[in-house]
Amino acid sequence: MSTKKSVNGFLDELASSSPAPGGGSVAALAGALGSALTSMVCNLTIGKKKYADVEEEMKKIVKGSEELRAQFTKLVEDDTLAFNKVMEAFSLPKDNESQKALRDAAINAATKEATMVPLEVMKHCIDALALAQNVAANGNRNSISDAGVSA
């Protein structure tokens, strides 16, 4: 489980000759990191007298950003699992035409499934960007650079 490792452990595995985790997991992790930063800016805004007029909005945003962070974190694992299914399909026997047909069908199905994870990451990124934009515009000005990085 990639998300249960230390940052260095994840990076070591990523840098290794193992094909997974790969790009989809990294994209999902970037989404989780961005969502966490959005939450941080919200939390640095909530409770400050200067930002009392946006406090309720920030509370809603932090709830949404935490939901997105959880979804992105799950997608880190989902991407690795999906890619492993592709690799399993490639290891199926291909000694005769029947086996070749089954193997090709399994590769196609697993590849299609593996492309769905990055697509889901992209869809969630749209939501994360909207939250980051709102936080950059209305959140604690001392953390505006963090709001920008979250996007």
Side-chain angles (χ1 to χ4, degrees):
M1 298 287 266
S2 296
T3 57
K4 301 297 181 198
K5 294 181 180 198
S6 69
V7 172
N8 283 333
F10 180 84
L11 293 174
D12 288 345
E13 185 177 3
L14 184 63
S16 75
S17 62
S18 173
S25 293
V26 169
L29 179 59
L33 291 168
S35 295
L37 269 175
T38 296
S39 293
M40 182 187 82
V41 176
C42 288
N43 287 321
L44 290 169
T45 305
I46 295 167
K48 303 286 191 274
K49 289 180 187 177
K50 183 177 179 180
Y51 299 101
D53 57 327
V54 296
E55 183 161 333
E56 289 309 311
E57 182 179 8
M58 292 296 120
K59 286 179 179 179
K60 288 178 187 172
I61 292 171
V62 77
K63 183 177 187 260
S65 63
E66 286 302 294
E67 289 171 2
L68 284 169
R69 181 166 67 123
Q71 290 170 345
F72 282 125
T73 301
K74 180 182 179 306
L75 289 167
V76 171
E77 300 299 341
D78 289 353
D79 184 72
T80 298
L81 294 173
F83 184 77
N84 287 341
K85 288 181 183 178
V86 172
M87 297 308 293
E88 288 172 19
F90 271 105
S91 70
L92 291 173
K94 55 183 177 179
D95 299 328
N96 58 50
E97 291 307 313
S98 176
Q99 288 179 340
K100 286 179 186 177
L102 288 172
R103 180 179 179 269
D104 287 346
I107 290 169
N108 287 335
T111 301
K112 182 177 179 182
E113 182 181 337
T115 63
M116 299 310 289
V117 177
L119 179 62
E120 191 172 345
V121 170
M122 287 188 288
K123 289 178 181 177
H124 290 307
C125 282
I126 293 168
D127 297 330
L129 283 169
L131 296 180
Q133 181 181 18
N134 192 322
V135 168
N138 301 308
N140 189 321
R141 304 311 310 157
N142 294 325
S143 301
I144 195 166
S145 62
D146 293 306
V149 171
S150 75

